[in-house]
């Protein structure tokens, strides 16, 4: 049986060139970059090189890159660290209803500590309105944190418009760009963001590799305190192999971004076309074109996404029912609620994310399988039976 | 020129068996353990297996293991998470003056938030007195955090005695066992600790691999909030290769601990004997026998540790002047101050930590080199000239 991974959003394989770059740093150049003797030299140079590469992908300076262990850590660091550093200036933070839980949950914690949080709504495509952002800003606002791309529905926010509002009001702007980096151009100068979160394992770097890009002059208190690593901004022995891998992945992404994205969006558009041609009762979620090139989010009417996922899995097709971070919790997605999808459609959701292994021939095969599986499941749906009867009248 | 690493405390090479165990999880079994489809299966099983291995090393249950990205993260998580969860019960935390900065710095932050911190003193060997711990406990005390072994002077604390005091008073006990795990037996039942921090890169596991062992029923608020990973106790995509590597390193440590420690302590004792025979004006720091088997900390009178380190480095001998986390800061060590070492001796300190590559023939060679280098440097020391003159009288 063919195995087709359409869940690259959950994990990407480490690129062979990335793994090759990492390998010498496990057992050969295993020194601690903080050591002043020769064993620290190669790791230290490798860190500096990786820092330049990650900075290069974002149009930032190397000293603006802080390596972390995950995007979640970077998001927690920004929100808690910014709140701690600037609470005397004000206690209001703005985000969006569809941001990731590693932004939303720290904000809930901050609310318990006396902060006020405004979560901006989104339209039915998942877009935040810059005008609503402007209206939400108060004299107490110290930070705006709005994601670059939604990892479920794929919608890309109008970052430059949002940061223009923030800049006009003098409020620092953070974006969780975890789902976006490596797939859409994200230059911190052009987009005007002050803080940006990225994760290597989203674009063929290793797990455990991530970074926060922080504009010169931005101040936050460290979340991980201890040693002097990352100029005192993030304590803990540097994960040299992971950082080297992230650097290489960033370099590859910079070189291949246009080609990679173009290839993926063509394959994605073909998958979408095949699915909509083969499977009745489909709904496209997210923005029709302002979305990630490798993302396709649909709802299949009259059936449960989890059942679809299980049956597709048996057919060797790996998809997600939504955000991986919550998929085992089987909760209905806060994102789909926020875009106003009715529960009957939200529960029939499938998220396809394409990647290096995706091929043109996958689309008709996946469409055929989904058509077969959806038809089977639909027949068992009382709602579908009711729909058929009403259709008969 | 021979290269002799005597700074394994700064970093250990990844064991070949550890690297071999990790390798399939970069590009082959790269799935996200949280995925419900088949690609999540192998990584999920690998996580469970690693969790059992780490628990096995400590005599804990697998559900008591929380994987983190570093010991610093685990320490921050304990102190900040415990303070946040139990602040209504009391706002007093006890630690020691020689604990690591990833314990001491979070405590300083907690002090700014209204907590009171007692740092217990140590004797000139670096030992905390259980009687002083008992006296420090108040009705407000919610946590005691005292390291298992000091990463600089190597002193092992009398953990069982200290936890007995804590247990009598009903106060949870955390130990930062980063320097100790893999080298001395650390069973959480026998030592009676409730929370324990360890890091894989101290005992031939990969960088970026660490864990907090937390006794069932202990409660703390997560430091990294977001997804439901680690049962909601630590958000962020699991670093599967690093965790698999940590599991394998824990397994090897459990199997080989006695043999490894015995071999290292014999080599260490030989190094100590050779050094003291060849080099005049040496002082042994830390406890003469209650210390890590691979640790030797000395002070060389009349010379600067940094100069010694640089000259030894030129001779291909890699040592540290103290804790790696602060070595680039070139600050005098808080540990050496705490054990009452006079500044003249503290600044002439050298830390030797032995490891897999250490051999019996290293000792006479290192002693010969240190003797030569110390003699050269000593001659330039005004204090030494003064000492000679006084000796002449």
């Amino acid at each position: 049986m063919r195995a087709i991974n359409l869940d690259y959003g959950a994990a990407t394989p480490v690129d062979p060139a990335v793994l090759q770059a990492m390998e010498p740093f496990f057992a050969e150049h295993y020194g601690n970059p903080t050591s002043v003797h020769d064993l620290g030299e190669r790791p230290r140079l490798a860190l500096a090189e990786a820092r330049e590469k990650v900075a290069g992908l974002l149009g930032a300076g190397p000293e603006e890159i802080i390596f972390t262990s995950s995007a979640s850590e970077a998001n927690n660091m920004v929100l808690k660290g910014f709140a701690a550093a600037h609470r005397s200036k004000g206690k209001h933070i703005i985000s969006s209803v569809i941001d990731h839980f590693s932004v939303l949950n720290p904000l809930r914690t901050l609310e318990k500590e006396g902060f006020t949080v405004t979560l901006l709504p989104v339209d039915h495509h998942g877009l935040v309105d810059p005008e609503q952002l402007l209206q939400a800003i108060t004299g107490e606002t110290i930070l705006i944190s709005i994601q670059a791309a939604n990892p479920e529905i794929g919608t890309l926010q109008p970052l430059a418009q949002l940061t223009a509002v923030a800049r006009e009001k003098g409020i620092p702007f953070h974006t969780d760009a975890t789902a976006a980096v490596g797939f859409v151009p994200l230059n911190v100068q052009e987009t005007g963001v002050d803080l940006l979160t990225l994760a290597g394992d989203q674009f063929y770097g290793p797990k455990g590799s991530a970074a926060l890009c922080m504009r010169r002059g931005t101040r936050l208190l460290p979340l991980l305190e201890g040693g002097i690593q990352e100029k005192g901004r993030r304590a803990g022995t540097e994960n040299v192999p992971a950082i080297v891998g992230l650097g290489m992945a960033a370099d590859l992404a910079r070189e291949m971004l246009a080609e990679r994205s173009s290839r993926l969006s063509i394959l994605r558009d073909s998958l979408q076309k095949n699915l909509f041609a083969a499977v009745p009762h489909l709904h496209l979620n997210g923005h029709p074109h302002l979305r990630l090139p490798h993302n396709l989010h649909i709802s299949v009417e009259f059936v449960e996404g989890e059942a679809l996922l299980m049956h597709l899995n048996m057919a060797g097709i790996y998809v997600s029912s939504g955000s991986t971070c919550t998929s085992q919790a089987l909760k209905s997605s806060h994102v789909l609620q926020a875009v106003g999808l009715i529960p009957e459609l939200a529960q029939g959701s499938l998220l396809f994310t394409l990647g290096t292994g995706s091929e043109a021939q996958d689309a008709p095969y996946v469409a055929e399988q989904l058509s077969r599986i959806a038809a089977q499941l639909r027949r068992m749906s009382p709602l579908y039976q009711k729909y058929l009867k009403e259709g008969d009248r």
Side-chain angles (χ1 to χ4, degrees), chain A residues 16-210:
Chain A
V18 170
L19 188 53
Q20 203 186 346
M22 294 169 69
E23 268 167 351
F25 295 92
F26 288 109
E28 192 184 344
H29 307 303
Y30 65 87
N32 190 318
T34 314
S35 292
V36 291
H37 54 64
D38 286 358
L39 294 186
E41 187 71 5
R42 257 309 269 282
R44 192 158 51 245
L45 292 174
L47 279 197
E49 204 180 305
R51 209 180 292 281
E52 291 205 357
K53 287 177 174 172
V54 174
L57 177 63
L58 305 171
E63 72 289 355
E64 298 179 310
I65 303 299
I66 305 170
F67 293 117
T68 69
S69 67
S70 67
S72 292
E73 184 195 325
N75 285 342
N76 274 265
M77 179 179 174
V78 169
L79 296 164
K80 296 178 182 178
F82 214 89
H86 301 279
R87 62 192 321 150
S88 62
K89 276 193 227 157
K91 290 188 152 190
H92 180 230
I93 299 176
I94 298 172
S95 184
S96 88
V97 283
I98 64 167
D99 260 75
H100 191 258
F101 285 123
S102 58
V103 167
L104 297 179
N105 289 357
L107 286 176
R108 271 182 217 161
T109 296
L110 289 173
E111 281 183 315
K112 287 179 201 149
E113 294 174 14
F115 280 79
T116 308
V117 173
T118 301
L119 297 183
L120 296 172
V122 292
D123 68 15
H124 67 288
H125 287 143
L127 287 175
V128 171
D129 178 1
E131 184 55 38
Q132 289 192 310
L133 171 60
L134 180 64
Q135 284 161 13
I137 294 171
T138 74
E140 285 279 300
T141 310
I142 56 168
L143 181 68
I144 298 163
S145 178
I146 296 173
Q147 65 188 191
N150 187 274
E152 289 182 57
I153 57 174
T155 302
L156 297 166
Q157 295 301 333
L159 274 189
Q161 290 176 53
L162 296 170
T163 60
V165 171
R167 184 150 299 186
E168 195 192 310
K169 293 286 185 175
I171 320 284
F173 191 102
H174 167 247
T175 191
D176 172 11
T178 308
V181 169
F183 299 98
V184 293
L186 258 172
N187 183 297
V188 292
Q189 311 308 334
E190 285 164 19
T191 55
V193 301
D194 302 294
L195 302 117
L196 181 148
T197 294
L198 64 86
D201 61 355
Q202 288 286 306
F203 57 100
Y204 309 100
K207 292 182 174 64
S209 76

Side-chain angles (χ1 to χ4, degrees), chain A residues 48-380:
Chain A
E49 204 180 305
R51 209 180 292 281
E52 291 205 357
K53 287 177 174 172
V54 174
L57 177 63
L58 305 171
E63 72 289 355
E64 298 179 310
I65 303 299
I66 305 170
F67 293 117
T68 69
S69 67
S70 67
S72 292
E73 184 195 325
N75 285 342
N76 274 265
M77 179 179 174
V78 169
L79 296 164
K80 296 178 182 178
F82 214 89
H86 301 279
R87 62 192 321 150
S88 62
K89 276 193 227 157
K91 290 188 152 190
H92 180 230
I93 299 176
I94 298 172
S95 184
S96 88
V97 283
I98 64 167
D99 260 75
H100 191 258
F101 285 123
S102 58
V103 167
L104 297 179
N105 289 357
L107 286 176
R108 271 182 217 161
T109 296
L110 289 173
E111 281 183 315
K112 287 179 201 149
E113 294 174 14
F115 280 79
T116 308
V117 173
T118 301
L119 297 183
L120 296 172
V122 292
D123 68 15
H124 67 288
H125 287 143
L127 287 175
V128 171
D129 178 1
E131 184 55 38
Q132 289 192 310
L133 171 60
L134 180 64
Q135 284 161 13
I137 294 171
T138 74
E140 285 279 300
T141 310
I142 56 168
L143 181 68
I144 298 163
S145 178
I146 296 173
Q147 65 188 191
N150 187 274
E152 289 182 57
I153 57 174
T155 302
L156 297 166
Q157 295 301 333
L159 274 189
Q161 290 176 53
L162 296 170
T163 60
V165 171
R167 184 150 299 186
E168 195 192 310
K169 293 286 185 175
I171 320 284
F173 191 102
H174 167 247
T175 191
D176 172 11
T178 308
V181 169
F183 299 98
V184 293
L186 258 172
N187 183 297
V188 292
Q189 311 308 334
E190 285 164 19
T191 55
V193 301
D194 302 294
L195 302 117
L196 181 148
T197 294
L198 64 86
D201 61 355
Q202 288 286 306
F203 57 100
Y204 309 100
K207 292 182 174 64
S209 76
L212 174 66
C213 179
M214 185 162 86
R215 190 180 294 281
R216 254 178 301 269
T218 312
R219 200 173 73 86
L220 47 73
L221 295 188
L223 184 64
L224 303 188
E225 301 175 88
I228 54 161
Q229 294 91 352
E230 299 296 290
K231 297 189 179 167
R233 298 172 297 183
R234 197 261 185 185
T237 299
E238 300 91 340
N239 187 348
V240 181
I243 291 170
V244 167
L246 177 60
M248 180 57 84
D251 227 26
L252 293 175
R254 188 180 49 76
E255 280 169 20
M256 297 162 61
L257 196 139
E259 184 192 329
R260 201 184 257 176
S261 295
S262 152
R263 178 180 165 274
L264 288 172
S265 68
I266 290 168
L267 290 173
R268 187 268 318 271
D269 291 347
S270 162
L271 178 63
Q272 182 176 332
K273 204 174 145 191
N274 274 271
L275 289 178
F276 276 80
V279 189
H281 312 293
L282 285 198
H283 295 250
L284 179 68
N285 299 317
H287 198 283
H289 54 271
L290 294 176
R291 58 175 162 160
L292 291 168
H294 61 314
N295 171 290
L296 176 62
H297 195 289
I298 58 170
S299 292
V300 190
E301 215 174 336
F302 306 121
V303 293
E304 289 274 350
E306 292 298 325
L308 285 171
L309 192 155
M310 294 305 171
H311 282 81
L312 285 167
N313 183 53
M314 283 189 278
I317 298 166
Y318 309 126
V319 300
S320 166
S321 59
S323 159
T324 310
C325 294
T326 50
S327 65
Q328 285 197 336
L330 301 179
K331 284 182 197 163
S332 94
S333 156
H334 71 296
V335 175
L336 300 182
Q337 282 180 29
V339 295
L341 202 66
I342 55 168
E344 290 79 0
L345 282 179
Q347 67 186 10
S349 292
L350 288 180
L351 165 60
F352 301 86
T353 39
L354 288 75
T356 42
S358 302
E359 293 173 25
Q361 73 220 49
D362 298 344
Y365 179 73
V366 173
E368 183 194 315
Q369 294 296 315
L370 182 61
S371 166
R372 176 182 63 78
I373 291 164
Q376 281 176 4
L377 292 172
R378 211 160 39 221
R379 265 181 251 123
M380 299 184 286

